[in-house]
């Protein structure tokens, strides 16, 4: 499997994003990340991600973009185990990574926390009694 992050792996559908944050999704924190995820049928990729860094925490776009780049890279390198489980379960997942800290953090720390977050999602998705139904969006 290629170690890339394609455009279809970016979450850009407004309805899905609204549904994720309106409720019904699962979330947890692995500081400095908050992870929100929701099984969704309509996605083209097995997992689509959204990365959010608050303008309130970092006024300068340069710093916000740096954090987004770190999170994207950490996800890109560590996503394979999660994707294998999703393919196995024939499930598609929308995931949002929200940066919580108001300090810049080293890439190694972000990568470590990303690994923990992805393992946690993988464990929840691999559990046979997943009580989260796949959602389909009404037109």
């Amino acid at each position: 499997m290629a170690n890339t992050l394609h455009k279809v792996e970016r979450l850009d559908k407004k309805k899905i994003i609204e549904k994720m944050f309106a409720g019904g999704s699962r979330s947890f924190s692995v500081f400095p990340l908050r992870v929100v995820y929701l099984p969704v049928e309509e996605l083209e990729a097995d997992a689509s991600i959204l990365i959010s860094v608050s303008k309130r925490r970092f006024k300068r776009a340069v710093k916000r973009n740096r954090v987004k780049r770190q999170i994207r890279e950490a996800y890109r390198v560590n996503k394979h185990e999660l994707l294998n489980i999703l393919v196995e379960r024939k499930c598609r997942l929308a995931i949002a990574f929200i940066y919580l800290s108001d300090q810049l953090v080293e890439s190694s720390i972000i990568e470590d926390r990303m690994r923990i977050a992805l393992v946690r999602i993988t464990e929840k998705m691999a559990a046979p009694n997943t009580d989260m139904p796949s959602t389909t969006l009404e037109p």
Side-chain angles (χ1 to χ4, degrees), residues 118-134:
L118 292 177
V119 164
R120 214 183 277 184
I121 294 172
T122 304
E123 286 169 356
K124 296 228 174 86
M125 296 312 293
N129 61 348
T130 305
D131 59 331
M132 283 185 66
S134 296

Side-chain angles (χ1 to χ4, degrees), residues 20-39:
M20 280 180 81
F21 293 103
S25 59
R26 295 276 173 90
S27 68
F28 59 89
S29 290
V30 183
F31 194 80
L33 298 174
R34 175 148 197 79
V35 182
V36 180
Y37 64 98
L38 179 71

Side-chain angles (χ1 to χ4, degrees), residues 37-101:
Y37 64 98
L38 179 71
V40 182
E41 295 289 317
E42 289 80 20
L43 297 171
E44 292 123 47
D46 293 317
S48 291
I49 65 165
L50 168 86
I51 298 171
S52 173
V53 181
S54 174
K55 201 176 201 176
R56 192 178 295 157
R57 299 191 193 282
F58 297 111
K59 299 286 186 232
R60 301 195 174 248
V62 174
K63 289 183 177 182
R64 287 196 305 275
N65 291 340
R66 174 180 181 236
V67 172
K68 286 188 218 172
R69 215 170 25 251
Q70 287 174 313
I71 294 171
R72 233 183 349 260
E73 177 65 7
Y75 173 77
R76 184 186 71 79
V77 172
N78 297 297
K79 67 182 178 176
H80 301 295
E81 193 175 326
L82 173 64
L83 293 181
N84 291 338
I85 293 290
L86 292 176
V87 168
E88 192 180 293
R89 300 276 318 253
K90 294 180 179 66
C91 176
R92 298 193 170 191
L93 206 59
I95 309 170
F97 296 104
I98 303 160
Y99 192 77
L100 299 175
S101 177

Side-chain angles (χ1 to χ4, degrees), residues 30-33 66-67 70-71 73-75 78 99 101 103-118:
V30 183
F31 194 80
L33 298 174
R66 174 180 181 236
V67 172
Q70 287 174 313
I71 294 171
E73 177 65 7
Y75 173 77
N78 297 297
Y99 192 77
S101 177
Q103 306 284 315
L104 289 174
V105 179
E106 286 181 32
S107 295
S108 60
I109 294 171
I110 289 182
E111 189 165 334
D112 181 50
R113 302 301 155 77
M114 177 65 72
R115 217 174 282 121
I116 293 167
L118 292 177

